[in-house]
Amino acid sequence: MSMKKGSLTLKDLAKIVGVSPATASLALAGDPRVNVKTRQMVEEAARRLNYVPNEIGRSLRAKKAETIALIFPNTPHNAFSHPYFVELLEGVTEVLVQNGFYLMVSTAPTEQDEQAAYDKIMMNRRADGIILWPASINDSNISRIVESGFPVVYLGRWHHNDVITVERDDFGGAYLATEHLLQAGRRNVAHITGPLEYQVSIDRLEGYKKALEDYKVLYDPSLVVTGDYTMESGAAAIRELLKRGVSFDGLFSGNDRMAIGAMKALHAAGIRIPEDVAMVGCDNMEMASMTTPALTTIHQSLREIGRVAATKMILLLTGQEVGAKQTTIPAEIVVRESSTSHVKV
């Protein structure tokens, strides 16, 4: 029987030998449940007919999917629309490709969908390990995964040290941003936070407070407004501060999107940046360099976070020494025109 090499299916092979496809599959995997005679018949036929098992069948037998799942839990914004996503993806992919692993991306809009997605990945071994983007601190699914014993690298801070994590220095970044404004002589520095059920928002608020404390400036809660990381919430925060008659000459925004929204609202109110209000954002997204004035912001390399996380995962899966379980990628400030006062003539 002449067959093109590689075109023979498991079903064909089973039919030729006279066994079920399931038995043929187990026989090729060397499963002890199949008697030796049958196994030899199947192996012999496979050799004779140049049967090439397909990747899925082989990976299921080996119980190694050679795939890493990158999971974005339900987040306040669609992960794909966030500029960070691409950078993180590039960092992760670079390492996986070098090591012959595939990448699977999973996003879930609600906690219920999220639980189903995780169960599928873990129970069915769709992936060998999970790189997990932080969810809300109230999300119970996250604890379940991180503590399930399944190989996980968490992209945030975890509350006990045996979990492998890679995180941004959100506290340090916020400290740098606030310090920069204080060093520029600003004394009433407002802060627009992200949603406070996210650790990143809490850490940035804490970094802001610590810088004020170190510079002997009293923390004033009326200068803090909560946003949701969208441009519109940044604009709304400025309108709220102005409506309340709160006086501020500096502004640290929890991300660049809110900073850009805030900038628009300040322009609309005839407030000059940086003369009247000096501004710093956070994320260093591409758009930050294109605003007028260009936005001073905090840079945290998501590409580096992706690379480090993927490297730790490969080491974990190949039984090598992971090294430091917790890694923090430092933040740096990128100074542009929005925070440096022009010389007034």
Side-chain angles (χ1 to χ4, degrees):
M1 150 171 212
S2 73
M3 274 217 179
K4 208 161 77 260
K5 184 175 167 138
S7 64
L8 183 75
T9 67
L10 182 69
K11 219 180 226 167
D12 298 331
L13 180 67
K15 205 170 181 180
I16 291 161
V17 181
V19 295
S20 73
T23 302
S25 174
L26 292 170
L28 289 172
D31 193 295
R33 285 172 293 183
V34 179
N35 73 52
V36 177
K37 190 162 159 267
T38 306
R39 193 163 84 218
Q40 284 169 346
M41 270 166 59
V42 173
E43 285 170 351
E44 177 52 35
R47 256 197 310 278
R48 200 175 68 243
L49 300 164
N50 287 327
Y51 170 69
V52 182
N54 73 27
E55 286 301 328
I56 293 172
R58 188 159 60 227
S59 72
L60 283 174
R61 281 196 303 280
K63 272 286 175 267
K64 276 262 184 289
E66 288 171 344
T67 298
I68 306 296
L70 174 60
I71 297 184
F72 288 84
N74 72 87
T75 51
H77 42 245
N78 182 332
F80 294 105
S81 71
H82 202 289
Y84 260 13
F85 175 78
V86 179
E87 276 195 52
L88 182 70
L89 210 51
E90 284 172 355
V92 169
T93 310
E94 191 184 305
V95 174
L96 295 192
V97 167
Q98 284 166 0
N99 289 277
F101 275 77
Y102 302 104
L103 176 67
M104 172 173 127
V105 176
S106 168
T107 63
T110 70
E111 271 189 60
Q112 286 69 36
D113 298 343
E114 199 185 327
Q115 183 169 347
Y118 297 160
D119 287 347
K120 229 177 232 165
I121 290 167
M122 295 199 293
M123 310 286 189
N124 304 352
R125 292 306 295 236
R126 296 274 175 87
D128 303 312
I130 291 173
I131 296 174
L132 190 56
W133 184 258
S136 152
I137 51 184
N138 310 320
D139 187 328
S140 58
N141 290 318
I142 297 299
S143 300
R144 213 162 52 88
I145 293 178
V146 173
E147 292 170 19
S148 64
F150 198 83
V152 170
V153 175
Y154 186 66
L155 301 178
R157 187 150 33 93
W158 199 252
H159 40 79
H160 49 75
N161 295 338
D162 50 350
V163 173
I164 298 173
T165 62
V166 185
E167 57 174 301
R168 300 170 301 197
D169 184 8
D170 290 311
F171 177 91
Y175 186 98
L176 280 178
T178 312
E179 176 178 58
H180 175 71
L181 291 165
L182 294 165
Q183 285 178 343
R186 308 302 165 128
R187 276 297 166 267
N188 298 311
V189 178
H191 175 42
I192 308 172
T193 79
L196 290 171
E197 68 272 21
Y198 286 83
Q199 193 62 49
V200 45
S201 311
I202 296 167
D203 290 348
R204 287 177 183 170
L205 175 59
E206 291 306 317
Y208 159 81
K209 287 181 175 175
K210 182 71 175 115
L212 292 176
E213 185 190 314
D214 287 355
Y215 280 78
K216 311 280 187 286
V217 175
L218 201 60
Y219 168 64
D220 176 359
S222 75
L223 284 168
V224 176
V225 186
T226 305
D228 62 7
Y229 289 135
T230 62
M231 229 177 268
E232 179 41 49
S233 75
I238 293 300
R239 290 193 294 267
E240 188 180 324
L241 287 168
L242 296 175
K243 194 176 86 191
R244 293 206 311 243
V246 177
S247 140
F248 59 101
D249 56 5
L251 174 67
F252 164 48
S253 172
N255 76 343
D256 287 345
R257 284 187 165 175
M258 294 193 297
I260 291 164
M263 208 176 243
K264 283 174 131 174
L266 288 167
H267 283 319
I271 294 166
R272 298 168 308 162
I273 306 163
E275 293 85 350
D276 304 323
V277 174
M279 279 186 71
V280 183
C282 192
D283 279 353
N284 196 22
M285 59 190 253
E286 199 181 357
M287 217 192 299
S289 63
M290 301 172 187
T291 57
T292 308
L295 183 64
T296 294
T297 187
I298 298 299
H299 175 70
Q300 293 163 312
S301 176
L302 257 279
R303 190 180 271 102
E304 185 58 18
I305 285 174
R307 274 199 292 259
V308 173
T311 303
K312 286 190 183 199
M313 180 54 80
I314 300 283
L315 292 171
L316 184 65
L317 293 177
T318 51
Q320 298 175 69
E321 230 6 90
V322 171
K325 284 199 167 176
Q326 282 78 41
T327 304
T328 301
I329 304 298
E332 53 197 51
I333 190 158
V334 180
V335 179
R336 300 192 181 104
E337 293 99 38
S338 70
S339 64
T340 50
S341 287
H342 307 306
V343 178
K344 291 179 189 166
V345 188

